[in-house]
Amino acid sequence: MDTLGRPAGAPVRVLLVDDDALVRAGLTMMLGAFDGIEVAGAVADGTEVAAAVTSHRPDVVLMDIRMPGMDGLTATESLRARREPPEVIVLTTFDTDAHVLRAMRAGASGFLLKHTPPEEIARAVRRVAAGEPMLSPEVLRRMMNQVAAVDPGRDRARLALRRLSPGEHDVALLVAQGRTNQEIGTALRMSTATVKAYVSRILTKLDLTNRVQVALLVHDAR
């Protein structure tokens, strides 16, 4: 079983959320060309997400932002509040700082632009399904600059990080750099399994839902 409880070798199930029928069709065709990924369903608006997740039980949701009913950021906030929610990758043409920051704080595990090459989108799907965030480098830089510019919670963030043991703190710092579990293990001379255990403890101690929120907290504290 993997981190999402799928049997070994089972494909990553993806739900597409986009109001453009051509985009949905294109993503379905594109993702269907990659081994280990299955498009479980597709809906046209954020208001349809809750029912679609209940029906299709996806591992990952590819979420557009601007839709006529409920926007993708509101849908992400609602979805991530569920018990055992799927991972969310925001996939959009809109990359304003406010959109990025809100998506990350809502619990999205990735933020990609629609011009991202198909191979990178497929890699992002697999990576977030494995419990690791996926942000394009330019999005990560802009997000952290935005946090530094507007977030007043430095003291609260520093106080929260003091709950961590020295080892957990070291892991959190590398998570904030976007490092994978394997990269963190190499840097700290830990096994990948040990890194995963540290990350789980960090999330529990800090009452966070994913690694992106750990990264935000670390950068809030700076």
Short mmCIF file of all heavy atoms in Angstrom, two decimals, residues 35-70:
data_model
loop_
_atom_site.label_atom_id
_atom_site.label_comp_id
_atom_site.label_asym_id
_atom_site.label_seq_id
_atom_site.Cartn_x
_atom_site.Cartn_y
_atom_site.Cartn_z
N ASP A 35 1.49 5.75 -18.38
CA ASP A 35 1.27 4.57 -17.56
C ASP A 35 1.09 4.97 -16.10
O ASP A 35 1.74 5.89 -15.61
CB ASP A 35 2.45 3.60 -17.67
CG ASP A 35 2.57 2.98 -19.06
OD1 ASP A 35 1.53 2.93 -19.76
OD2 ASP A 35 3.68 2.57 -19.43
N GLY A 36 0.21 4.27 -15.42
CA GLY A 36 0.05 4.49 -13.99
C GLY A 36 -0.85 5.64 -13.63
O GLY A 36 -0.96 5.99 -12.44
N ILE A 37 -1.52 6.26 -14.61
CA ILE A 37 -2.45 7.35 -14.34
C ILE A 37 -3.78 7.03 -15.01
O ILE A 37 -3.81 6.64 -16.18
CB ILE A 37 -1.91 8.70 -14.84
CG1 ILE A 37 -0.63 9.07 -14.10
CG2 ILE A 37 -2.96 9.81 -14.67
CD1 ILE A 37 0.02 10.35 -14.59
N GLU A 38 -4.86 7.21 -14.28
CA GLU A 38 -6.21 6.94 -14.81
C GLU A 38 -7.11 8.14 -14.53
O GLU A 38 -7.21 8.59 -13.38
CB GLU A 38 -6.79 5.70 -14.13
CG GLU A 38 -8.23 5.40 -14.48
CD GLU A 38 -8.80 4.27 -13.64
OE1 GLU A 38 -8.01 3.43 -13.14
OE2 GLU A 38 -10.03 4.23 -13.47
N VAL A 39 -7.74 8.68 -15.56
CA VAL A 39 -8.70 9.76 -15.37
C VAL A 39 -10.01 9.13 -14.91
O VAL A 39 -10.70 8.46 -15.68
CB VAL A 39 -8.89 10.59 -16.65
CG1 VAL A 39 -9.98 11.66 -16.44
CG2 VAL A 39 -7.58 11.26 -17.05
N ALA A 40 -10.34 9.35 -13.65
CA ALA A 40 -11.53 8.72 -13.06
C ALA A 40 -12.81 9.46 -13.38
O ALA A 40 -13.89 8.89 -13.38
CB ALA A 40 -11.35 8.62 -11.54
N GLY A 41 -12.71 10.77 -13.67
CA GLY A 41 -13.89 11.56 -13.96
C GLY A 41 -13.52 12.99 -14.27
O GLY A 41 -12.36 13.39 -14.12
N ALA A 42 -14.49 13.76 -14.71
CA ALA A 42 -14.27 15.17 -15.05
C ALA A 42 -15.55 15.95 -14.81
O ALA A 42 -16.65 15.47 -15.14
CB ALA A 42 -13.82 15.31 -16.50
N VAL A 43 -15.44 17.13 -14.21
CA VAL A 43 -16.59 17.99 -13.97
C VAL A 43 -16.25 19.41 -14.40
O VAL A 43 -15.08 19.76 -14.57
CB VAL A 43 -17.04 17.97 -12.49
CG1 VAL A 43 -17.51 16.58 -12.09
CG2 VAL A 43 -15.91 18.44 -11.58
N ALA A 44 -17.29 20.24 -14.55
CA ALA A 44 -17.13 21.56 -15.16
C ALA A 44 -17.17 22.71 -14.17
O ALA A 44 -16.98 23.86 -14.57
CB ALA A 44 -18.21 21.76 -16.23
N ASP A 45 -17.39 22.44 -12.88
CA ASP A 45 -17.53 23.55 -11.94
C ASP A 45 -17.21 23.08 -10.53
O ASP A 45 -17.39 21.90 -10.19
CB ASP A 45 -18.96 24.11 -11.98
CG ASP A 45 -19.06 25.43 -11.23
OD1 ASP A 45 -18.66 26.47 -11.81
OD2 ASP A 45 -19.52 25.43 -10.08
N GLY A 46 -16.78 24.03 -9.70
CA GLY A 46 -16.45 23.70 -8.33
C GLY A 46 -17.62 23.17 -7.52
O GLY A 46 -17.42 22.41 -6.56
N THR A 47 -18.84 23.53 -7.89
CA THR A 47 -20.01 23.04 -7.17
C THR A 47 -20.20 21.54 -7.34
O THR A 47 -20.90 20.90 -6.56
CB THR A 47 -21.28 23.76 -7.65
OG1 THR A 47 -21.41 23.57 -9.07
CG2 THR A 47 -21.22 25.25 -7.35
N GLU A 48 -19.58 20.97 -8.37
CA GLU A 48 -19.73 19.53 -8.64
C GLU A 48 -18.63 18.69 -8.02
O GLU A 48 -18.68 17.45 -8.09
CB GLU A 48 -19.72 19.30 -10.16
CG GLU A 48 -20.78 20.07 -10.94
CD GLU A 48 -20.60 19.90 -12.44
OE1 GLU A 48 -20.97 18.83 -12.95
OE2 GLU A 48 -20.07 20.83 -13.08
N VAL A 49 -17.65 19.33 -7.41
CA VAL A 49 -16.47 18.61 -6.94
C VAL A 49 -16.80 17.64 -5.82
O VAL A 49 -16.36 16.47 -5.83
CB VAL A 49 -15.37 19.59 -6.51
CG1 VAL A 49 -14.24 18.86 -5.79
CG2 VAL A 49 -14.82 20.34 -7.72
N ALA A 50 -17.54 18.07 -4.81
CA ALA A 50 -17.80 17.23 -3.65
C ALA A 50 -18.47 15.91 -4.05
O ALA A 50 -18.05 14.83 -3.64
CB ALA A 50 -18.67 17.98 -2.64
N ALA A 51 -19.50 16.01 -4.89
CA ALA A 51 -20.20 14.80 -5.32
C ALA A 51 -19.30 13.92 -6.17
O ALA A 51 -19.33 12.69 -6.06
CB ALA A 51 -21.47 15.17 -6.09
N ALA A 52 -18.48 14.55 -7.03
CA ALA A 52 -17.60 13.78 -7.90
C ALA A 52 -16.53 13.04 -7.10
O ALA A 52 -16.18 11.90 -7.42
CB ALA A 52 -16.95 14.69 -8.94
N VAL A 53 -16.02 13.67 -6.07
CA VAL A 53 -15.02 13.02 -5.23
C VAL A 53 -15.63 11.83 -4.49
O VAL A 53 -15.03 10.76 -4.40
CB VAL A 53 -14.40 14.03 -4.24
CG1 VAL A 53 -13.61 13.32 -3.14
CG2 VAL A 53 -13.50 15.00 -4.98
N THR A 54 -16.85 12.01 -3.99
CA THR A 54 -17.53 10.91 -3.32
C THR A 54 -17.78 9.75 -4.28
O THR A 54 -17.62 8.58 -3.93
CB THR A 54 -18.87 11.40 -2.73
OG1 THR A 54 -18.62 12.43 -1.77
CG2 THR A 54 -19.62 10.26 -2.06
N SER A 55 -18.15 10.09 -5.51
CA SER A 55 -18.49 9.07 -6.50
C SER A 55 -17.26 8.36 -7.07
O SER A 55 -17.22 7.13 -7.17
CB SER A 55 -19.29 9.69 -7.64
OG SER A 55 -19.55 8.76 -8.66
N HIS A 56 -16.24 9.15 -7.45
CA HIS A 56 -15.09 8.59 -8.17
C HIS A 56 -13.91 8.24 -7.28
O HIS A 56 -13.01 7.53 -7.73
CB HIS A 56 -14.65 9.56 -9.26
CG HIS A 56 -15.69 9.85 -10.29
ND1 HIS A 56 -16.18 8.88 -11.14
CD2 HIS A 56 -16.35 10.99 -10.63
CE1 HIS A 56 -17.08 9.41 -11.95
NE2 HIS A 56 -17.20 10.69 -11.66
N ARG A 57 -13.85 8.80 -6.08
CA ARG A 57 -12.76 8.55 -5.13
C ARG A 57 -11.38 8.72 -5.77
O ARG A 57 -10.55 7.79 -5.79
CB ARG A 57 -12.90 7.15 -4.51
CG ARG A 57 -14.20 6.95 -3.78
CD ARG A 57 -14.26 5.61 -3.07
NE ARG A 57 -13.26 5.52 -2.02
CZ ARG A 57 -13.38 6.06 -0.80
NH1 ARG A 57 -14.47 6.73 -0.49
NH2 ARG A 57 -12.43 5.92 0.09
N PRO A 58 -11.10 9.92 -6.30
CA PRO A 58 -9.79 10.15 -6.93
C PRO A 58 -8.69 10.28 -5.88
O PRO A 58 -8.95 10.61 -4.72
CB PRO A 58 -10.00 11.48 -7.65
CG PRO A 58 -11.00 12.20 -6.80
CD PRO A 58 -11.95 11.12 -6.32
N ASP A 59 -7.47 10.03 -6.31
CA ASP A 59 -6.30 10.27 -5.46
C ASP A 59 -5.84 11.71 -5.58
O ASP A 59 -5.31 12.29 -4.63
CB ASP A 59 -5.16 9.34 -5.88
CG ASP A 59 -5.55 7.88 -5.84
OD1 ASP A 59 -5.99 7.42 -4.77
OD2 ASP A 59 -5.44 7.20 -6.88
N VAL A 60 -6.01 12.28 -6.79
CA VAL A 60 -5.54 13.63 -7.09
C VAL A 60 -6.63 14.35 -7.87
O VAL A 60 -7.25 13.77 -8.77
CB VAL A 60 -4.23 13.60 -7.91
CG1 VAL A 60 -3.79 15.02 -8.29
CG2 VAL A 60 -3.12 12.89 -7.15
N VAL A 61 -6.84 15.63 -7.55
CA VAL A 61 -7.77 16.48 -8.29
C VAL A 61 -6.96 17.56 -9.00
O VAL A 61 -6.17 18.27 -8.36
CB VAL A 61 -8.81 17.14 -7.37
CG1 VAL A 61 -9.72 18.08 -8.17
CG2 VAL A 61 -9.64 16.07 -6.66
N LEU A 62 -7.12 17.66 -10.32
CA LEU A 62 -6.54 18.78 -11.07
C LEU A 62 -7.60 19.86 -11.15
O LEU A 62 -8.63 19.68 -11.80
CB LEU A 62 -6.13 18.32 -12.48
CG LEU A 62 -4.81 17.59 -12.63
CD1 LEU A 62 -4.57 17.24 -14.10
CD2 LEU A 62 -3.65 18.41 -12.10
N MET A 63 -7.35 20.99 -10.53
CA MET A 63 -8.38 22.00 -10.27
C MET A 63 -8.08 23.31 -11.00
O MET A 63 -7.04 23.94 -10.78
CB MET A 63 -8.45 22.26 -8.77
CG MET A 63 -9.55 23.22 -8.34
SD MET A 63 -11.14 22.41 -8.14
CE MET A 63 -10.87 21.52 -6.60
N ASP A 64 -9.03 23.74 -11.84
CA ASP A 64 -8.95 25.07 -12.45
C ASP A 64 -9.33 26.11 -11.40
O ASP A 64 -9.94 25.78 -10.37
CB ASP A 64 -9.91 25.13 -13.64
CG ASP A 64 -9.73 26.39 -14.48
OD1 ASP A 64 -8.66 27.02 -14.38
OD2 ASP A 64 -10.65 26.73 -15.23
N ILE A 65 -8.99 27.38 -11.62
CA ILE A 65 -9.36 28.43 -10.67
C ILE A 65 -10.67 29.10 -11.05
O ILE A 65 -11.63 29.09 -10.28
CB ILE A 65 -8.24 29.50 -10.57
CG1 ILE A 65 -7.05 28.94 -9.80
CG2 ILE A 65 -8.76 30.74 -9.84
CD1 ILE A 65 -5.93 29.94 -9.57
N ARG A 66 -10.74 29.68 -12.24
CA ARG A 66 -11.90 30.49 -12.60
C ARG A 66 -12.96 29.63 -13.28
O ARG A 66 -12.75 29.12 -14.39
CB ARG A 66 -11.47 31.64 -13.51
CG ARG A 66 -10.62 32.65 -12.76
CD ARG A 66 -10.54 33.97 -13.48
NE ARG A 66 -9.78 34.94 -12.73
CZ ARG A 66 -9.50 36.17 -13.15
NH1 ARG A 66 -9.93 36.56 -14.36
NH2 ARG A 66 -8.81 37.00 -12.41
N MET A 67 -14.09 29.49 -12.59
CA MET A 67 -15.23 28.75 -13.12
C MET A 67 -16.49 29.53 -12.78
O MET A 67 -16.51 30.31 -11.83
CB MET A 67 -15.25 27.34 -12.53
CG MET A 67 -14.08 26.48 -13.01
SD MET A 67 -14.00 24.83 -12.25
CE MET A 67 -13.38 25.24 -10.61
N PRO A 68 -17.58 29.34 -13.53
CA PRO A 68 -18.74 30.23 -13.39
C PRO A 68 -19.51 30.10 -12.09
O PRO A 68 -20.11 31.06 -11.62
CB PRO A 68 -19.63 29.83 -14.57
CG PRO A 68 -19.20 28.45 -14.93
CD PRO A 68 -17.72 28.41 -14.65
N GLY A 69 -19.51 28.93 -11.46
CA GLY A 69 -20.24 28.75 -10.21
C GLY A 69 -19.32 28.96 -9.03
O GLY A 69 -19.05 30.08 -8.60
N MET A 70 -18.78 27.88 -8.51
CA MET A 70 -17.80 27.95 -7.42
C MET A 70 -16.39 27.92 -8.00
O MET A 70 -16.06 27.05 -8.80
CB MET A 70 -17.98 26.77 -6.45
CG MET A 70 -16.99 26.78 -5.28
SD MET A 70 -17.08 25.26 -4.26
CE MET A 70 -18.73 25.47 -3.55
#
